Amino acid sequence: MKIDDNIETFNSLIKRRGFIWGPSPEIYGGLAGFYSYGPAGMALKNNILALYRRELRYFGFGEVECPTIMPEIVWRASGHLDRFIDPVIRCKKCSTLYRADKFLQEQCPDLMIDGLSFQKMENLIHDHNLSCPKCETPFNKIEEYNLMLKTQVGNNVTAYLRPETATTTYLLFNRLNQDARRQYPIKIYQIGKAYRNEISPRQGVLRMRAFDQFELQLFIGKQQEMVFEDFEEIKENTLPLLDWKLQAENKDKPEIISLEKAIKTKLLKKPAYAYCLYISYYLTKILGFPEEVIRFRQHSINERAHYADDAWDLEIKTRQFGWVEICGVHDRTNYDLKRHGEFSKQNFEVSMGSDSEIKEIPQILEIAFGIDRIIYTLLETIFNVEEGRINLKLIPILAPNTVAVFPLVKNKENIRNLAVKVHRALLENRINSFFDSAGSIGKRYRRQDELGTKWCITIDYESLDDNTVTIRERDSMDQIRVNISDLAEIIKKKQESKYLHFC
RNA sequence: GCGCUCUUAGUAUAGUGGUUAGAAUCUCGGGUUUCCAACCCGAGGACCCGGGUUCAAUUCCCGGAGGGCGCACCA
């Protein structure tokens, strides 16, 4: 079979090898914006999360998990109820849908539209005799389009599926404050599902209606943001930064700049925020993304979310979709805690240091990853076609199978038996080993290449005499011969040494 | 959500108003094979869903769902 190095080959691989399937439920035709992970995709996802959990212990983060459904008041306080419900107008004739506020602003650039009530916008549309640009028909009344999925709990209590995990983490603030014993900043993360009722989901898993988020929070004092101990350790690292000024000049090449310099030149205001950018870069790099495909892009002022003081997206360059945001780093100020303090009538002014007299509501810095976007962009980035061979260059600890074990030929019973024995022994050592004896040896290698398996172990005639096997490396296809008794240790060692040295 | 367009085995496709719906790859069984998708034998698997027209619909028409592209949307 001819294998082309193109995006179609990649797209079919994702399905064929059981990474991502959908839209689900496929047997009923699918519902747009919902996807399932197959065994390989789920193994990859779990491996990424396991790596992240391990790394975040190193950086001093704790993990929490909150309900995915929260009552209405939470979203009123967070601001999502206002911001996630869009006013839309529908043409009576062609039923084209427009965002009422954006449409008004476009038609009447001089008017101040932001913050107007639905009724006022409706009046304005009427007063200005605005009609559908396509067919000149007048509009219906303004309707609500709710980006949050609404549900009912118990006896008619209105609740919403969370559109982000972050807010649910903030609701734990007084508990976390107690738990942390004034050791600020409090570093906490949450991994879990979030839901958004996208108008028209596209681009596969990049815009799903149910997706996994991985959001890290720093609760931190205003002073501490400016004088931040952890910053000192990482300030010499360089990041590719594309600020909004460069963007305004229509440039898309980021400037490679050290964090120390970025602070000095006021490109970044706060060392603690710079630290967050670094963390997001670190977590991206350790998955095996090459530098060339990573950049940070700063949001312009009107692109920012309602809570943000500064915002940069970590973007990955993809073949299929251009630059894709996989992570947003947001300076949320004390907006969230202030609001939840007001709405819940709690006092979130706390002492963050040794002086009990000094109290303030903590600031929040947030690093928000979309896990499904990480997985898609990673797979696309490391997908390679080399001389007609598909090679998925996953780093070893992320690969669904750590190793695969083959008998060189399948019809020699003693070779096969030894291969099974070797495979079992690896499993005993809790190494994810996969056994395969179907087809030719070459075919089995190729199957594993498509899954990103770094090492294939083959038992041949020589093995029967001297208890050695070959280890074939995925990228070079070179083989080394080792003793069966050393195999598990060798694999474990190889696996560990293959990450942690990217910068 | 609008417009255009598409939807056939796991994957990528050919084709048809009456076909045993074809070839590739794939999967399974068997043979062969001393290391990179080889070969031989055998088997398996598909017309997105609903309605209409018709003696007969996978094929034509309408609607729905889903995908692609453009517009709009994307805290």
Side-chain angles (χ1 to χ4, degrees):
Chain A
M1 184 173 68
K2 193 168 174 289
I3 295 168
D4 294 319
D5 185 4
N6 58 28
I7 204 70
E8 285 77 22
T9 309
F10 171 75
N11 289 338
S12 87
L13 174 79
I14 295 304
K15 287 185 261 187
R16 279 193 297 115
R17 284 297 173 215
F19 284 98
I20 299 166
W21 293 316
S24 304
E26 288 185 279
I27 61 168
Y28 289 106
L31 191 55
F34 296 93
Y35 286 82
S36 300
Y37 280 85
M42 206 55 214
L44 172 60
K45 189 176 196 167
N46 284 332
N47 290 341
I48 289 173
L49 294 182
L51 176 60
Y52 277 178
R53 287 187 162 112
R54 188 161 112 184
E55 290 301 307
L56 287 173
R57 283 302 293 236
Y58 169 78
F59 284 105
F61 281 78
E63 181 174 6
V64 296
E65 185 180 89
C66 299
T68 54
I69 293 177
M70 288 280 171
E72 184 162 25
I73 187 156
V74 168
W75 308 113
R76 197 169 291 292
S78 72
H80 286 89
L81 210 52
D82 290 336
R83 302 290 176 151
F84 266 57
I85 295 183
D86 292 333
V88 294
I89 38 175
R90 191 184 296 275
C91 171
K92 279 178 187 165
K93 194 170 152 201
C94 67
S95 37
T96 303
L97 207 63
Y98 299 90
R99 269 279 295 268
D101 49 347
K102 300 226 167 178
F103 178 74
L104 258 174
Q105 194 70 74
E106 208 178 280
Q107 301 293 317
C108 319
D110 303 334
L111 291 178
M112 184 60 205
I113 304 297
D114 213 24
L116 289 184
S117 72
F118 284 21
Q119 188 58 54
K120 283 199 174 133
M121 282 193 262
E122 210 168 286
N123 293 344
L124 277 175
I125 289 171
H126 186 78
D127 295 347
H128 287 77
N129 273 325
L130 296 179
S131 56
C132 177
K134 277 191 192 165
C135 62
E136 313 261 301
T137 316
F139 287 108
N140 282 322
K141 281 181 169 295
I142 289 184
E143 306 164 34
E144 287 184 358
Y145 187 90
N146 196 341
L147 270 316
M148 282 197 291
L149 285 159
K150 199 175 187 172
T151 188
Q152 284 192 349
V153 175
N155 190 17
N156 281 344
V157 175
T158 300
Y160 293 90
L161 277 67
R162 62 181 179 190
E164 61 165 23
T165 62
T167 286
T168 63
T169 305
Y170 306 147
L171 304 179
L172 296 175
F173 174 66
N174 50 2
R175 293 286 189 188
L176 292 170
N177 181 50
Q178 285 287 324
D179 193 56
R181 295 174 22 250
R182 293 198 190 181
Q183 304 300 302
Y184 277 84
I186 301 176
K187 295 174 173 174
I188 288 291
Y189 68 95
Q190 181 170 186
I191 296 170
K193 279 271 184 286
Y195 302 85
R196 286 178 202 179
N197 193 18
E198 299 280 357
I199 293 177
S200 60
R202 293 247 181 110
Q203 306 183 320
V205 298
L206 294 185
R207 257 176 92 194
M208 290 200 284
R209 285 174 164 148
F211 56 102
D212 272 309
Q213 285 192 314
F214 163 49
E215 299 190 311
L216 298 79
Q217 317 294 336
L218 261 68
F219 297 85
I220 188 169
K222 240 189 148 92
Q223 277 216 312
Q224 203 176 14
E225 284 188 297
M226 303 309 291
V227 184
F228 189 50
E229 217 176 295
D230 293 356
F231 176 72
E232 297 305 314
E233 285 174 35
I234 55 98
K235 67 184 180 187
E236 266 146 49
N237 288 284
T238 56
L239 297 187
L241 300 178
L242 181 70
D243 68 2
W244 65 267
K245 280 181 201 153
L246 286 172
Q247 294 170 57
E249 293 164 24
N250 271 328
K251 297 201 171 124
D252 63 352
K253 281 260 181 302
E255 199 181 342
I256 312 292
I257 183 167
S258 79
L259 289 170
E260 192 172 23
K261 194 174 164 203
I263 290 289
K264 253 185 206 148
T265 58
K266 304 248 160 64
L267 183 59
L268 299 172
K269 284 184 273 188
K270 305 170 180 175
Y273 185 84
Y275 172 79
C276 290
L277 288 183
Y278 171 76
I279 295 276
S280 69
Y281 187 71
Y282 178 87
L283 291 175
T284 304
K285 278 298 304 246
I286 54 170
L287 299 182
F289 283 102
E291 278 166 26
E292 317 85 74
V293 303
I294 308 175
R295 76 175 187 195
F296 285 94
R297 190 182 65 81
Q298 187 179 30
H299 282 202
S300 66
I301 288 162
N302 39 21
E303 196 180 350
R304 275 182 214 155
H306 58 282
Y307 46 69
D309 183 49
D310 194 6
W312 293 71
D313 286 343
L314 194 163
E315 298 182 324
I316 301 294
K317 187 170 192 161
T318 64
R319 283 212 261 176
Q320 193 156 215
F321 302 115
W323 288 97
V324 170
E325 173 199 352
I326 64 162
C327 174
V329 181
H330 305 120
D331 182 347
R332 295 179 73 134
T333 68
N334 64 5
Y335 170 87
D336 298 276
L337 290 183
K338 226 159 89 187
R339 294 275 295 186
H340 289 299
E342 284 165 19
F343 277 72
S344 64
K345 303 193 177 66
Q346 304 269 324
N347 185 5
F348 285 157
E349 286 196 332
V350 296
S351 310
M352 288 190 263
S354 49
D355 188 346
S356 295
E357 294 298 305
I358 303 170
K359 289 188 174 185
E360 65 175 295
I361 297 176
Q363 308 290 309
I364 291 176
L365 299 174
E366 177 203 35
I367 304 164
F369 279 96
I371 294 173
D372 312 285
R373 290 184 171 196
I374 292 176
I375 289 169
Y376 175 83
T377 54
L378 181 63
L379 285 172
E380 211 215 63
T381 303
I382 60 167
F383 170 82
N384 283 280
V385 176
E386 297 164 351
E387 292 167 32
R389 175 176 77 114
I390 291 176
N391 185 3
L392 205 60
K393 290 185 170 170
L394 279 171
I395 63 168
I397 37 168
L398 295 186
N401 300 326
T402 305
V403 297
V405 178
F406 313 137
L408 180 59
V409 291
K410 66 177 166 187
N411 61 350
K412 296 282 181 290
E413 209 172 324
N414 44 2
I415 289 188
R416 196 192 155 89
N417 288 344
L418 183 57
V420 170
K421 210 173 127 194
V422 168
H423 166 62
R424 291 253 169 81
L426 289 166
L427 288 176
E428 292 290 331
N429 279 281
R430 296 299 183 268
I431 290 169
N432 293 328
S433 175
F434 180 84
F435 182 84
D436 193 1
S437 63
S440 69
I441 187 76
K443 183 162 228 159
R444 288 178 239 150
Y445 285 141
R446 299 303 167 89
R447 282 196 196 110
Q448 295 307 311
D449 293 342
E450 291 190 345
L451 282 170
T453 310
K454 183 81 165 165
W455 302 290
C456 290
I457 293 155
T458 300
I459 287 74
D460 55 18
Y461 289 88
E462 211 177 317
S463 309
L464 297 173
D465 298 331
D466 62 4
N467 272 313
T468 61
V469 294
T470 60
I471 302 177
R472 175 260 199 188
E473 199 270 334
R474 184 192 62 207
D475 303 333
S476 64
M477 300 193 278
D478 290 343
Q479 295 182 339
I480 57 169
R481 189 165 273 279
V482 304
N483 276 311
I484 291 174
S485 53
D486 302 332
L487 193 55
E489 279 315 304
I490 290 171
I491 295 296
K492 279 186 185 172
K493 227 173 169 174
K494 276 177 178 289
Q495 200 181 3
E496 280 303 310
S497 68
K498 283 292 176 185
Y499 92 114
L500 277 183
H501 59 261
F502 69 87
C503 57

